[in-house]
Amino acid sequence: MKKILVIAILLFGLSPLLKAQMLNLNYQISVPLGDIKDFTDKGSFRGADLEYHQFLGDYFSIGGAIGWNVFYHNLDHHTNDFRFQGNNNIYTITGNQYRYINTVPLMAIGRYYFTDNTTSVRPFVGLGVGTRWTEKRLEVGQYSSTISRWQFSFAPEVGMYVPLSDQIALNFGARYSYGTRAAHGRVPEFQSFTFNIGLILMGAQ
């Protein structure tokens, strides 16, 4: 999270030099779906992403994004069966469980804007395609299990940005994210629904 903020500050300092480009830093709230919801259940208030967009005319842009989201759930006095590496026996352990999903998406993004840059609000639809690093971690007492893999991922989105001046705008959006299973299913299929609110620095178009 700190690294994303540092990169954003450095890039935003270059905004007067940008032409027909946008730099966007978003705060994110995410709701887990599918396998992720089965494991962590609760929504995530720990998320952010940094985006760059280059306009191709008035209505299209291409760019990229890097983000970070954490899902967490605490289960009191819960029982599960475990198998330890190098041992085929199954052990039943009861205790407080701490469950984490960390995920870092890396996406190429294309967007279509329904209005040009002369309007007070610019709604858009977009699609991100790329990969995400996902880590699944379970802690029970002194025992822990962690596995992480890269997943193919895509993320359709809708949103709008509201210019406040020639160089500053606010961003509002919603995004559905999907990632394929990995490690023979031990890293679950990733699904979430994310709400974005952020600050945009723009170059002249």
Side-chain angles (χ1 to χ4, degrees), residues 9-164:
I9 292 170
L10 292 174
L11 291 176
F12 285 0
L14 300 175
S15 61
L17 305 177
L18 301 177
K19 299 297 181 182
Q21 300 174 59
M22 295 192 307
L23 294 171
N24 182 9
L25 179 64
N26 290 311
Y27 169 68
Q28 298 180 325
I29 298 173
S30 297
V31 178
L33 303 171
D35 293 343
I36 302 299
K37 178 176 174 61
D38 292 341
F39 185 69
T40 57
D41 192 36
K42 294 184 178 181
S44 168
F45 292 88
R46 290 184 283 180
D49 81 347
L50 177 65
E51 302 177 4
Y52 165 83
H53 300 276
Q54 169 70 56
F55 279 91
L56 305 175
D58 290 332
Y59 298 99
F60 293 93
S61 70
I62 58 173
I66 180 173
W68 171 75
N69 296 95
V70 178
F71 298 88
Y72 166 76
H73 191 201
N74 177 21
L75 292 174
D76 294 330
H77 200 71
H78 199 74
T79 300
N80 269 106
D81 293 331
F82 295 88
R83 179 182 287 111
F84 296 98
Q85 186 174 4
N87 190 330
N88 290 325
N89 295 328
I90 296 176
Y91 299 89
T92 300
I93 300 176
T94 299
N96 294 339
Q97 293 189 5
Y98 302 93
R99 300 181 172 191
Y100 302 88
I101 295 287
N102 277 272
T103 186
V104 178
L106 295 169
M107 297 278 184
I109 300 175
R111 284 181 178 172
Y112 173 78
Y113 300 84
F114 293 96
T115 61
D116 62 24
N117 61 0
T118 63
T119 58
S120 58
V121 176
R122 298 200 68 184
F124 62 81
V125 294
L127 177 64
V129 178
T131 186
R132 67 175 57 242
W133 175 84
T134 299
E135 178 190 75
K136 177 183 177 183
R137 181 173 179 85
L138 172 63
E139 298 178 358
V140 185
Q142 63 180 323
Y143 302 103
S144 66
S145 173
T146 303
I147 186 169
S148 61
R149 290 292 189 277
W150 289 96
Q151 302 167 283
F152 170 75
S153 187
F154 65 86
E157 62 175 351
V158 296
M160 63 180 180
Y161 76 80
V162 182
L164 302 179

